[in-house]
Structure formats: structure tokens, C-alpha cells
Amino acid sequence: MLGLAYFSVGDRFEAESDANIRQYYAYAGDHGASIAEGVVRSPEQIRAVVADFAAVGMNEVTFTPTVARLDEVDRLADLVL
């Protein structure tokens, strides 16, 4: 099973991340706002997603960045690998 989580690490790009995800899901109204509120940002939230998905039997997690910064992927890898 595969899980998906949107992320940006820390609050350095929080405003940009939030704006990007809300714009992307603007067509979805309240559901889009819920998705935006579910973006994981803290190291604790990111690690919890991995643990929670594993606990329900998911064997793959796709983290999708919400800002166009390659270093965000490196920061994520430092947290989960």
C-alpha cells in the first residue's frame, strides 16, 4: 500500500508552501483547505507520518514537496533515512 504526504520542512517556507498548496487545490473549496492544513512541517510530524503509515501496513510513503526547493528534499531525507 502507498501513502502520500505533502511537506515542507520547518517554518522557513511555510507561507510559500501554504500558498502553493491552496492555489493548487483552489478548485476543491473546503477540501483544498483541509489538504493545506494537513501539510506536515515539523520533524516530529514528518516522522509521525512514517510511523503512522507503517502502523496501518503501508509499505511505501511518497512525500510531495510543496515548495520548489531541492534542499527541502535533502532536509526530508535527513529526517527519515
Side-chain angles (χ1 to χ4, degrees):
M1 288 188 2
L2 169 71
L4 170 95
Y6 288 106
F7 82 96
S8 71
V9 182
D11 47 343
R12 182 171 70 161
F13 300 117
E14 184 174 353
E16 181 181 354
S17 166
D18 190 65
N20 288 344
I21 203 80
R22 287 179 188 276
Q23 180 181 2
Y24 185 80
Y25 283 104
Y27 70 90
D30 290 341
H31 182 63
S34 293
I35 293 169
E37 291 165 9
V39 173
V40 291
R41 293 195 171 86
S42 73
E44 297 79 20
Q45 289 175 320
I46 291 167
R47 289 184 186 116
V49 164
V50 173
D52 291 347
F53 283 178
V56 297
M58 292 189 178
N59 56 8
E60 187 173 342
V61 179
T62 299
F63 280 95
T64 302
T66 56
V67 294
R69 305 266 190 308
L70 288 177
D71 65 322
E72 286 288 281
V73 177
D74 292 334
R75 293 174 74 199
L76 175 71
D78 289 342
L79 293 171
V80 297
L81 297 179

